[in-house]
Amino acid sequence: MLAGKRVLLIIGGGIAAFKSLDLIRRLRERGATVVPVLTRAAEQFVTPLSASALAAEKVYRDLFDLTDEAEMGHIELSRDADLLVVAPATADLMAKMAGGHANDLASTVLMATDKRVLIAPAMNLRMWQNPATQRNLSALRGDGVLVVGPNEGDMACGEYGPGRMAEPLEIVAAVEAALMDGPLKGKHVLVTSGPTHEPIDPVRYIANRSSGAQGTAIARALAGLGAQVTFVTGPASVPPPEGVAVIAVQTAQQMLEAVQSALPADAAIFAAAVADWRMAEGAVQKIKKEVGKLPTLRFTENPDILATVSQMQAGRPGLVIGFAAETENVIEHATAKRARKGCDWIVANDVSPETGIMGGDENAVTVIGAEGAEAWPRMGKDEVARKLAARVAEALGDG
Ligand code: CTP
């Protein structure tokens, strides 16, 4: 149900705009208030009058409409909503959003908002597959924009493929999921994930086998409980979750900078497998093979991101959680690690090759806090993530 929720519906200029009229009805049936914003191009497909009549609300169209600004300015318009929905999100609107343009009312409210944004792309399949659109799509995903569709099927232009706007009821389901009030609503949680790559020279690097699966699952579970998640990820082999703000990095130093720029946070979870060392002097040119000579790699220590954040004098997140990947004496080593780093909880796991945990779908963890160690049975990484997110919600709720 969407009772009491206010949705700002931005209708873009595409043939699918007619479906947005039905979307207004479906959202209202569930109790939502729908305030439509029409782009100039949208008016070629649907009339402001039909949008207004179905929404039983004023329709907003122009950035410089003095009457509208006197009644409700564009900033207020975007802040007053619980969610912004762009349907249909045309290739042009997506490009504007990704590029940060603000040259009409729709793009300006999208830039000015402090609320989540859900887009329902709709366009010709070649336009959808165009590298520019795909680049914009991943930039928007990285900004935490939620995406529903497009679907595959016959298109108005006579072609067949992906590009049809999601059906109104599918968009309604995505709206409901986005507006679900969870226990972490209003909380900002930072998650690091994946391996780091430390360059040896321009073509070689030092890496590790972390897939990023556990960190990704944790970020997804936190977002599912309503948290605003910043996801700082090294080059992981699994894609980042939807609906979180992604900061992609390569090295440990970049990860530290990204973490620091994302603070403050209510909680921070450090699931990344950060390389402990980097090259003391990274070679600017590719190291050449010389007959009979072996190169010597000289290392220097990377900053410890978890320890740095745990030991912050001011602005430390209320809850800091680290991971410990051990191959022996798991609890003993992890307990010592918790004390050494100064974090609140350590999630310890045994990554001996025979466990199949690193790179696998399951995890068996022991959570170590001030009160001692609690061993969780072996379960899917998604389940570990959900259980941990629930614990975070409990801890933040108490605070
Ligand atoms: N960590 C970090 N920055 C580093 C190294 C590690 O933030 N430069 C974090 C990891 O994200 C993880 C925890 O610290 O939460 C792991 O600690 P680490 O000292 O790397 O231990 P392990 O890799 O588990 O093992 P070891 O101590 O044996 O190296």
Side-chain angles (χ1 to χ4, degrees):
M1 283 304 283
L2 293 168
K5 299 293 183 194
R6 198 174 167 88
V7 174
L8 190 75
L9 175 63
I10 295 168
I11 305 181
I15 189 72
F18 78 93
K19 287 206 262 183
S20 303
L21 296 179
D22 190 34
L23 175 62
I24 296 175
R25 295 182 47 191
R26 303 292 167 212
L27 289 169
R28 291 196 62 208
E29 274 168 13
R30 285 157 182 78
T33 300
V34 182
V35 180
V37 171
L38 262 63
T39 64
R40 204 162 281 240
E43 292 185 28
Q44 304 297 318
F45 296 90
V46 292
T47 70
L49 187 62
S50 24
S52 168
L54 286 165
E57 288 285 334
K58 180 178 167 51
V59 170
Y60 292 83
R61 301 155 64 187
D62 254 329
L63 182 54
F64 298 110
D65 186 321
L66 288 179
T67 339
D68 287 357
E69 283 294 324
E71 284 169 8
M72 182 184 265
H74 58 275
I75 305 284
E76 219 178 318
L77 192 61
S78 68
R79 303 270 168 89
D80 227 39
D82 295 297
L83 181 73
L84 271 61
V85 177
V86 187
T90 59
D92 181 60
L93 258 174
M94 286 175 62
K96 277 186 175 170
M97 288 173 73
H101 292 237
N103 59 357
D104 61 5
L105 183 60
S107 52
T108 306
V109 292
L110 284 161
M111 277 287 280
T113 194
D114 57 353
K115 299 295 168 11
R116 297 182 99 180
V117 179
L118 169 73
I119 63 170
M123 65 198 72
N124 166 272
L125 81 137
R126 299 261 175 262
M127 291 173 79
W128 174 250
Q129 287 162 345
N130 189 296
T133 303
Q134 291 302 312
R135 257 196 321 273
N136 293 334
L137 178 70
S138 47
L140 291 172
R141 284 212 157 105
D143 291 341
V145 169
L146 300 160
V147 185
V148 54
N151 295 341
E152 200 159 298
D154 285 320
M155 309 193 60
C157 50
E159 292 185 90
Y160 182 93
R164 272 169 69 105
M165 187 168 87
E167 295 306 318
L169 287 180
E170 291 174 278
I171 301 176
V172 167
V175 168
E176 284 175 332
L179 284 174
M180 217 176 52
D181 279 345
L184 286 174
K185 192 180 159 81
K187 303 288 184 194
H188 177 214
V189 186
L190 180 73
V191 179
T192 70
S193 181
T196 63
H197 285 182
E198 308 295 334
I200 295 172
D201 67 15
V203 297
R204 305 181 178 96
Y205 57 84
I206 296 164
N208 61 65
R209 293 188 194 283
S210 165
S211 62
Q214 187 63 82
T216 301
I218 290 169
R220 184 179 295 119
L222 292 163
L225 294 185
Q228 177 207 337
V229 179
T230 304
F231 185 65
V232 180
T233 177
S237 50
V238 298
E242 286 254 330
V244 306
V246 182
I247 308 180
V249 298
Q250 297 280 328
T251 66
Q253 282 174 301
Q254 290 167 355
M255 189 171 270
L256 174 64
E257 281 163 30
V259 163
Q260 285 170 330
S261 72
L263 291 174
D266 297 288
I269 303 178
F270 294 89
V274 185
D276 291 318
W277 313 284
R278 66 175 185 278
M279 298 289 291
E281 302 101 19
V284 182
Q285 303 297 336
K286 186 180 167 208
I287 303 171
K288 300 298 287 178
K289 183 169 56 187
E290 286 179 51
V291 181
K293 256 184 88 180
L294 293 175
T296 307
L297 302 184
R298 287 206 326 114
F299 291 102
T300 184
E301 220 173 294
N302 264 330
D304 190 319
I305 308 166
L306 171 63
T308 306
V309 173
S310 296
Q311 293 162 26
M312 279 170 67
Q313 297 298 320
R316 180 192 190 274
L319 179 65
V320 180
I321 305 172
F323 273 71
E326 309 289 351
T327 52
E328 55 174 357
N329 304 331
V330 177
I331 298 197
E332 192 188 321
H333 283 163
T335 305
K337 194 167 287 176
R338 175 177 171 272
R340 200 166 60 239
K341 305 232 183 192
C343 56
D344 302 302
W345 303 350
I346 278 270
V347 181
N349 54 9
D350 185 345
V351 291
S352 318
E354 62 274 16
T355 65
I357 283 174
M358 205 127 178
D361 297 331
E362 291 192 331
N363 209 349
V365 306
T366 301
V367 180
I368 298 165
E371 288 86 39
E374 183 189 320
W376 294 358
R378 190 174 172 128
M379 54 179 105
K381 285 186 176 171
D382 284 346
E383 235 179 307
V384 170
R386 282 196 292 273
K387 204 166 156 156
L388 189 65
R391 286 292 171 88
V392 170
E394 258 172 52
L396 294 186
D398 292 345

